[in-house]
Amino acid sequence: MALSFTGKPNPRVGEILVARLSTLPAQRSTGLTLKQRRFTSTLEITQKQTAPAAPSLPPLSALPTRVLLRSLLVSTISSKAWLLYPSLWVMSILSKPNRGFLLNVDRNPILHGILKKTFYEQFCAGENAAETKATIKELKDMGFRGVIMTYAKETVFDHRTNTQHGLGVAALEAEKNGEQVDPRLVHCANIEAWRKGTLETVEQLEDGDYLAVKLTGAGPTVTEAFSKGDLPPTQMINAMDEVCRRCKERNVRILVDAESQHFQWGILRLTLDLMRKYNRDGYAVVYNTYQAYLKSTSNTLAKHLAAAQQDGFTLGLKLVRGAYMASDERALIHDTKTDTDNAYNTIAQGALKRTIGDFGTTTPFPSVNLFLASHNRESVMAAHNLHKQRTQASLPTIPVGFAQLHGMSDEVSFSLLALKGSDGTPEVYKCSTWGGMGECLAYLLRRAIENRDAVLRTSDEYNALKAEFKRRLKGGFSFATQK
Ligand SMILES: Cc1cc2nc3c(=O)[nH]c(=O)nc-3n(C[C@H](O)[C@H](O)[C@H](O)COP(=O)(O)OP(=O)(O)OC[C@H]3O[C@@H](n4cnc5c(N)ncnc54)[C@H](O)[C@@H]3O)c2cc1C
């Protein structure tokens, strides 16, 4: 079963592919199938006849100039400690609930405008359906196979202070106005607001796109249940059922995000039930997210592979390293970055070889669809190469998609896109978030912290963006994509 999606190709991707292949003779002669070689040589012949001196375009040449300039600004801030630390401090203050007018990003128009044109537009899709649709179109025009879209509302649990923030709008509004509200109605209102926001997101997506859901966005009754490892209230289970049915009708798949450890056992439990119910047609409609940085993940995955094998459903395996190092209990996380990297690569490569632990050797390997969400060039390139080799050698493997976050690691995304073969792989997606500015702040703060922690990658990104900017400057912006 192959994942097959539609997405408008970017004419520049072919151009970049030719330029890259012409500088990679070894790969051209050994790494491609006959079909791909024919495709490549047709492109080369066409190119020889029409454009004798093809410029070797770098991956970032596909970025519109407006996006390049914004990325350069954000990456300059992220790569300089003296700019990043004050920005982080300001954002963490702004993301606290119940701020007065001056520090309220939704009410203070100047603050709203500054954040919107910088961090918000860099990482988020839009504050309403029209803005979000325009961003999705722009991403697809750049050559991405599709988008992963999420509605921003969520709850983050801080293990150090034992507090959670980001609770539902209705509860906060009521609290702010000093109103006495029946807690059951507030709870219902939170789940209902989450259901509506999520279904609204589904309607913005097109055939083959992905919906990402943060289940804690549904508010206190849901997070209370998750923190005990329980299933959420029936109202939430019904809401998820409705979302799954609508996604299936529209050929949209669902990635259930992994969140703070405090909530994760409940999230895993609900998602496993949904996979059992909806992943029955030979492919995954619903994916669980597995955080490779957790020491417990290999055991969890083994249990879920066993469930998929026994109950005959497809396991949707979205693999990430894990984004909650700042708030999760440190002892639960691998001791070193190298251990996390090894865990990530072992699962990714094992899944692509259809061999994880006993599965694929003494126990049959179940149906699995893989989704690799990562900015780590080594991990994604190694996985793509392995998938390509195995497909070409007709060895058993599984369908795989790749994704990077909107506004991050464009170099990795466009490098993957430039390798796209005639079979449409690798399938590359950009993952974005939509929602009001206030709702998106926790997400924005996490992106900023991630940039702070990934010092090497951030400075590589900054250097690549600077080089692309200089290249366009030299050419009087004549190579630049036209926006
Ligand atoms: C499309 C997409 C969807 C995502 N969805 C989720 C999600 O649902 N849930 C979620 O939690 N995250 C999610 N993330 C974020 C992800 O978990 C990582 O935080 C982020 O992608 C950085 O990891 P990386 O694989 O890109 O590689 P790198 O930048 O190479 O790795 C950085 C990561 O390594 C780990 N790490 C760093 N230092 C140490 C250390 N000292 N010891 C142990 N481990 C360490 C951390 O996980 C850190 O985030 C998503 C990312 C993407 C691209």
Side-chain angles (χ1 to χ4, degrees):
M1 160 68 218
L3 296 171
S4 82
F5 301 119
T6 54
K8 280 187 195 153
N10 178 358
R12 296 181 63 82
V13 169
E15 197 184 340
I16 296 166
L17 176 67
V18 172
R20 293 217 124 202
L21 287 170
S22 61
T23 58
L24 292 172
Q27 185 182 343
R28 196 173 62 227
S29 61
T30 58
L32 302 176
T33 60
L34 186 60
K35 211 167 150 196
Q36 283 172 316
R37 263 185 251 137
R38 275 200 207 114
F39 170 71
T40 309
S41 39
T42 311
L43 284 174
E44 281 172 335
I45 291 162
T46 314
Q47 193 206 19
K48 272 182 199 143
Q49 286 166 349
T50 55
S56 179
L57 293 174
L60 289 180
S61 60
L63 271 187
T65 300
R66 180 177 53 78
V67 180
L68 173 71
L69 293 176
R70 195 184 56 224
S71 302
L72 192 58
L73 171 73
V74 171
S75 130
T76 305
I77 295 172
S78 305
S79 59
K80 315 267 178 241
W82 60 276
L83 288 172
L84 181 62
Y85 281 85
S87 312
L88 277 173
W89 180 72
V90 171
M91 272 168 75
S92 68
I93 288 180
L94 296 178
S95 67
K96 300 244 158 55
N98 299 330
R99 296 275 120 201
F101 173 81
L102 274 184
L103 294 178
N104 187 318
V105 291
D106 288 319
R107 288 163 67 206
N108 179 337
I110 297 173
L111 192 59
H112 184 273
I114 294 171
L115 271 178
K116 177 94 183 231
K117 287 286 156 208
T118 51
F119 287 98
Y120 184 92
E121 285 187 357
Q122 180 68 11
F123 299 114
C124 300
E127 291 194 80
N128 53 47
E131 285 178 14
T132 305
K133 281 202 161 184
T135 306
I136 292 176
K137 182 176 179 311
E138 184 174 59
L139 289 170
K140 289 188 178 174
D141 286 349
M142 285 183 216
F144 291 99
R145 180 58 77 92
V147 293
I148 303 165
M149 190 59 64
T150 189
Y151 178 44
K153 199 136 55 91
E154 65 177 297
T155 301
V156 174
F157 186 88
D158 194 331
H159 166 76
R160 292 159 309 175
T161 55
N162 220 24
T163 54
Q164 45 187 347
H165 53 91
L167 297 182
V169 169
L172 289 178
E173 286 300 315
E175 222 180 86
K176 222 173 2 189
N177 301 333
E179 288 166 18
Q180 288 289 316
V181 183
D182 179 343
R184 280 169 309 150
L185 291 181
V186 172
H187 292 171
C188 290
N190 282 326
I191 295 177
E192 181 54 15
W194 182 90
R195 186 189 71 87
K196 275 196 183 149
T198 304
L199 285 171
E200 217 180 304
T201 314
V202 179
E203 299 311 313
Q204 290 161 26
L205 295 174
E206 293 163 5
D207 189 284
D209 286 335
Y210 285 74
L211 168 80
V213 286
K214 284 215 182 310
L215 299 178
T216 60
T221 47
V222 172
T223 55
E224 259 167 41
F226 284 157
S227 59
K228 293 181 204 138
D230 291 342
L231 290 174
T234 312
Q235 184 188 353
M236 181 64 185
I237 294 175
N238 292 343
M240 263 320 277
D241 260 329
E242 192 180 347
V243 169
C244 289
R245 280 198 305 274
R246 188 66 188 131
C247 282
K248 201 161 182 181
E249 278 163 22
R250 290 178 61 87
N251 194 25
V252 164
R253 294 158 201 240
I254 306 165
L255 304 171
V256 177
D257 278 358
E259 306 191 44
S260 309
Q261 248 317 276
H262 190 69
F263 307 125
Q264 196 51 28
W265 293 114
I267 294 173
L268 286 170
R269 199 173 150 192
L270 174 63
T271 312
L272 192 64
D273 283 354
L274 292 169
M275 289 203 283
R276 202 176 266 119
K277 186 163 175 187
Y278 289 97
N279 296 359
R280 294 224 158 253
D281 299 322
Y283 70 97
V285 176
V286 181
Y287 289 66
N288 232 331
T289 301
Y290 298 86
Q291 294 163 311
Y293 72 2
L294 291 177
K295 293 174 182 166
S296 57
T297 290
S298 60
N299 277 342
T300 309
L301 184 59
K303 282 184 195 145
H304 291 195
L305 285 166
Q309 178 56 31
Q310 271 155 26
D311 300 342
F313 64 89
T314 299
L315 187 79
L317 195 176
K318 175 188 156 200
L319 187 63
V320 299
R321 279 181 168 74
Y324 295 83
M325 273 196 77
S327 52
D328 267 352
E329 198 179 330
R330 187 63 183 89
L332 301 174
I333 295 171
H334 284 303
D335 299 339
T336 63
K337 167 83 164 67
T338 309
D339 289 347
T340 298
D341 291 344
N342 289 340
Y344 191 95
N345 294 332
T346 303
I347 296 172
Q349 309 249 332
L352 288 167
K353 290 186 203 151
R354 296 181 57 90
T355 311
I356 294 181
D358 293 343
F359 296 93
T361 50
T362 50
T363 312
F365 196 85
S367 169
V368 176
N369 287 179
L370 181 64
F371 206 96
L372 295 177
S374 175
H375 300 141
N376 186 299
R377 173 181 279 273
E378 285 74 40
S379 292
V380 297
M381 289 298 172
H384 168 60
N385 288 335
L386 179 64
H387 185 247
K388 198 168 88 180
Q389 279 163 18
R390 293 187 74 84
T391 309
Q392 286 170 357
S394 300
L395 289 168
T397 188
I398 58 172
V400 56
F402 296 89
Q404 288 77 44
L405 297 176
H406 178 197
M408 290 179 82
S409 294
D410 284 330
E411 238 262 320
V412 173
S413 302
F414 287 112
S415 297
L416 275 170
L417 275 181
L419 296 174
K420 202 192 265 185
S422 54
D423 62 352
T425 65
E427 297 183 337
V428 191
Y429 296 78
K430 272 290 187 191
C431 176
S432 195
T433 290
W434 81 281
M437 181 80 72
E439 290 171 331
C440 287
L441 273 176
Y443 176 81
L444 287 175
L445 187 60
R446 258 209 319 285
R447 298 290 74 82
I449 290 172
E450 198 174 305
N451 276 339
R452 179 199 63 189
D453 294 345
V455 183
L456 199 61
R457 195 188 65 221
T458 307
S459 72
D460 282 354
E461 259 173 64
Y462 170 65
N463 289 333
L465 288 162
K466 208 166 61 172
E468 175 59 15
F469 177 72
K470 281 189 186 157
R471 189 187 70 82
R472 290 190 197 187
L473 211 56
K474 271 193 207 145
F477 278 80
S478 57
F479 290 125
T481 317
Q482 324 59 33
K483 273 178 205 164

